[in-house]
mmCIF file of all heavy atoms in Angstrom:
data_model
loop_
_atom_site.group_PDB
_atom_site.id
_atom_site.type_symbol
_atom_site.label_atom_id
_atom_site.label_comp_id
_atom_site.label_asym_id
_atom_site.label_seq_id
_atom_site.Cartn_x
_atom_site.Cartn_y
_atom_site.Cartn_z
ATOM 1 N N LEU A 174 17.051 61.294 44.084
ATOM 2 C CA LEU A 174 17.800 60.575 43.072
ATOM 3 C C LEU A 174 19.159 60.115 43.594
ATOM 4 O O LEU A 174 19.601 59.005 43.354
ATOM 5 C CB LEU A 174 17.987 61.460 41.831
ATOM 6 C CG LEU A 174 16.745 61.750 40.991
ATOM 7 C CD1 LEU A 174 17.070 62.751 39.876
ATOM 8 C CD2 LEU A 174 16.191 60.477 40.370
ATOM 9 N N TYR A 175 19.793 60.976 44.366
ATOM 10 C CA TYR A 175 21.094 60.658 44.971
ATOM 11 C C TYR A 175 21.001 59.448 45.884
ATOM 12 O O TYR A 175 21.878 58.590 45.892
ATOM 13 C CB TYR A 175 21.585 61.902 45.738
ATOM 14 C CG TYR A 175 22.951 61.797 46.346
ATOM 15 C CD1 TYR A 175 24.095 62.107 45.595
ATOM 16 C CD2 TYR A 175 23.137 61.474 47.691
ATOM 17 C CE1 TYR A 175 25.358 62.034 46.155
ATOM 18 C CE2 TYR A 175 24.385 61.403 48.258
ATOM 19 C CZ TYR A 175 25.494 61.688 47.481
ATOM 20 O OH TYR A 175 26.758 61.639 48.042
ATOM 21 N N LYS A 176 19.890 59.402 46.652
ATOM 22 C CA LYS A 176 19.711 58.246 47.561
ATOM 23 C C LYS A 176 19.422 56.955 46.802
ATOM 24 O O LYS A 176 19.487 55.872 47.330
ATOM 25 C CB LYS A 176 18.563 58.546 48.529
ATOM 26 C CG LYS A 176 18.833 59.666 49.509
ATOM 27 C CD LYS A 176 19.938 59.308 50.507
ATOM 28 C CE LYS A 176 20.195 60.413 51.517
ATOM 29 N NZ LYS A 176 21.220 60.007 52.503
ATOM 30 N N ASN A 177 19.047 57.120 45.496
ATOM 31 C CA ASN A 177 18.843 55.965 44.614
ATOM 32 C C ASN A 177 20.066 55.714 43.758
ATOM 33 O O ASN A 177 19.996 55.005 42.764
ATOM 34 C CB ASN A 177 17.655 56.195 43.698
ATOM 35 C CG ASN A 177 16.386 55.544 44.235
ATOM 36 O OD1 ASN A 177 16.087 54.393 43.881
ATOM 37 N ND2 ASN A 177 15.649 56.227 45.090
ATOM 38 N N ASN A 178 21.210 56.339 44.123
ATOM 39 C CA ASN A 178 22.478 56.170 43.398
ATOM 40 C C ASN A 178 22.405 56.674 41.953
ATOM 41 O O ASN A 178 23.039 56.137 41.046
ATOM 42 C CB ASN A 178 22.931 54.699 43.421
ATOM 43 C CG ASN A 178 23.166 54.149 44.821
ATOM 44 O OD1 ASN A 178 23.729 54.852 45.659
ATOM 45 N ND2 ASN A 178 22.684 52.950 45.069
ATOM 46 N N ILE A 179 21.594 57.714 41.752
ATOM 47 C CA ILE A 179 21.489 58.377 40.431
ATOM 48 C C ILE A 179 22.053 59.772 40.592
ATOM 49 O O ILE A 179 21.417 60.649 41.206
ATOM 50 C CB ILE A 179 20.026 58.411 39.950
ATOM 51 C CG1 ILE A 179 19.437 56.991 39.874
ATOM 52 C CG2 ILE A 179 19.924 59.081 38.575
ATOM 53 C CD1 ILE A 179 17.948 56.960 39.571
ATOM 54 N N GLU A 180 23.235 59.995 40.040
ATOM 55 C CA GLU A 180 23.928 61.273 40.210
ATOM 56 C C GLU A 180 23.918 62.083 38.922
ATOM 57 O O GLU A 180 23.830 61.517 37.810
ATOM 58 C CB GLU A 180 25.352 61.047 40.716
ATOM 59 C CG GLU A 180 25.389 60.332 42.071
ATOM 60 C CD GLU A 180 26.759 60.276 42.687
ATOM 61 O OE1 GLU A 180 27.596 61.183 42.373
ATOM 62 O OE2 GLU A 180 27.018 59.341 43.449
ATOM 63 N N LYS A 181 24.027 63.412 39.067
ATOM 64 C CA LYS A 181 23.847 64.279 37.906
ATOM 65 C C LYS A 181 24.922 64.073 36.816
ATOM 66 O O LYS A 181 24.640 64.353 35.661
ATOM 67 C CB LYS A 181 23.818 65.744 38.346
ATOM 68 C CG LYS A 181 25.112 66.309 38.906
ATOM 69 C CD LYS A 181 24.965 67.788 39.217
ATOM 70 C CE LYS A 181 26.239 68.387 39.748
ATOM 71 N NZ LYS A 181 26.073 69.828 40.098
ATOM 72 N N GLY A 182 26.086 63.583 37.203
ATOM 73 C CA GLY A 182 27.113 63.302 36.212
ATOM 74 C C GLY A 182 26.635 62.271 35.181
ATOM 75 O O GLY A 182 27.102 62.277 34.028
ATOM 76 N N GLY A 183 25.712 61.411 35.583
ATOM 77 C CA GLY A 183 25.182 60.411 34.691
ATOM 78 C C GLY A 183 23.833 60.759 34.107
ATOM 79 O O GLY A 183 23.562 60.649 32.921
ATOM 80 N N TYR A 184 22.898 61.270 34.988
ATOM 81 C CA TYR A 184 21.505 61.453 34.508
ATOM 82 C C TYR A 184 21.361 62.655 33.592
ATOM 83 O O TYR A 184 20.355 62.736 32.847
ATOM 84 C CB TYR A 184 20.522 61.477 35.667
ATOM 85 C CG TYR A 184 20.433 62.772 36.487
ATOM 86 C CD1 TYR A 184 19.941 63.953 35.945
ATOM 87 C CD2 TYR A 184 20.782 62.778 37.834
ATOM 88 C CE1 TYR A 184 19.836 65.096 36.686
ATOM 89 C CE2 TYR A 184 20.658 63.942 38.599
ATOM 90 C CZ TYR A 184 20.181 65.086 38.008
ATOM 91 O OH TYR A 184 20.047 66.242 38.764
ATOM 92 N N MET A 185 22.340 63.577 33.554
ATOM 93 C CA MET A 185 22.178 64.732 32.671
ATOM 94 C C MET A 185 22.396 64.379 31.182
ATOM 95 O O MET A 185 22.187 65.232 30.330
ATOM 96 C CB MET A 185 23.153 65.854 33.095
ATOM 97 C CG MET A 185 22.681 66.566 34.356
ATOM 98 S SD MET A 185 23.830 67.871 34.922
ATOM 99 C CE MET A 185 23.716 69.030 33.580
ATOM 100 N N SER A 186 22.740 63.127 30.927
ATOM 101 C CA SER A 186 22.788 62.653 29.556
ATOM 102 C C SER A 186 21.749 61.533 29.319
ATOM 103 O O SER A 186 21.755 60.886 28.292
ATOM 104 C CB SER A 186 24.183 62.125 29.218
ATOM 105 O OG SER A 186 24.576 61.105 30.083
ATOM 106 N N SER A 187 20.840 61.378 30.308
ATOM 107 C CA SER A 187 19.802 60.352 30.165
ATOM 108 C C SER A 187 18.705 60.838 29.226
ATOM 109 O O SER A 187 18.490 62.029 29.062
ATOM 110 C CB SER A 187 19.206 60.004 31.528
ATOM 111 O OG SER A 187 18.402 61.107 31.994
ATOM 112 N N PRO A 188 17.999 59.890 28.553
ATOM 113 C CA PRO A 188 16.903 60.304 27.685
ATOM 114 C C PRO A 188 15.840 61.164 28.377
ATOM 115 O O PRO A 188 15.371 62.149 27.820
ATOM 116 C CB PRO A 188 16.320 58.991 27.232
ATOM 117 C CG PRO A 188 17.388 57.989 27.397
ATOM 118 C CD PRO A 188 18.178 58.447 28.567
ATOM 119 N N ALA A 189 15.488 60.821 29.614
ATOM 120 C CA ALA A 189 14.435 61.552 30.318
ATOM 121 C C ALA A 189 14.865 63.018 30.553
ATOM 122 O O ALA A 189 14.089 63.938 30.330
ATOM 123 C CB ALA A 189 14.123 60.874 31.652
ATOM 124 N N TYR A 190 16.086 63.201 31.036
ATOM 125 C CA TYR A 190 16.557 64.569 31.269
ATOM 126 C C TYR A 190 16.612 65.356 29.971
ATOM 127 O O TYR A 190 16.196 66.532 29.934
ATOM 128 C CB TYR A 190 17.960 64.506 31.895
ATOM 129 C CG TYR A 190 18.563 65.858 32.162
ATOM 130 C CD1 TYR A 190 18.316 66.539 33.353
ATOM 131 C CD2 TYR A 190 19.365 66.499 31.213
ATOM 132 C CE1 TYR A 190 18.871 67.800 33.595
ATOM 133 C CE2 TYR A 190 19.953 67.739 31.453
ATOM 134 C CZ TYR A 190 19.647 68.387 32.641
ATOM 135 O OH TYR A 190 20.194 69.645 32.876
ATOM 136 N N LEU A 191 17.113 64.746 28.905
ATOM 137 C CA LEU A 191 17.212 65.448 27.610
ATOM 138 C C LEU A 191 15.841 65.803 27.059
ATOM 139 O O LEU A 191 15.679 66.873 26.456
ATOM 140 C CB LEU A 191 17.969 64.540 26.619
ATOM 141 C CG LEU A 191 19.455 64.317 26.914
ATOM 142 C CD1 LEU A 191 20.044 63.275 25.982
ATOM 143 C CD2 LEU A 191 20.229 65.646 26.859
ATOM 144 N N VAL A 192 14.820 64.919 27.248
ATOM 145 C CA VAL A 192 13.476 65.262 26.810
ATOM 146 C C VAL A 192 12.978 66.501 27.563
ATOM 147 O O VAL A 192 12.378 67.421 26.972
ATOM 148 C CB VAL A 192 12.528 64.069 26.989
ATOM 149 C CG1 VAL A 192 11.067 64.482 26.793
ATOM 150 C CG2 VAL A 192 12.893 62.960 26.040
#
Side-chain angles (χ1 to χ4, degrees):
L174 289 174
Y175 185 84
K176 294 294 183 177
N177 263 269
N178 300 317
I179 302 172
E180 299 189 27
K181 67 177 181 180
Y184 77 67
M185 285 178 65
S186 58
S187 71
Y190 179 87
L191 292 173
V192 169

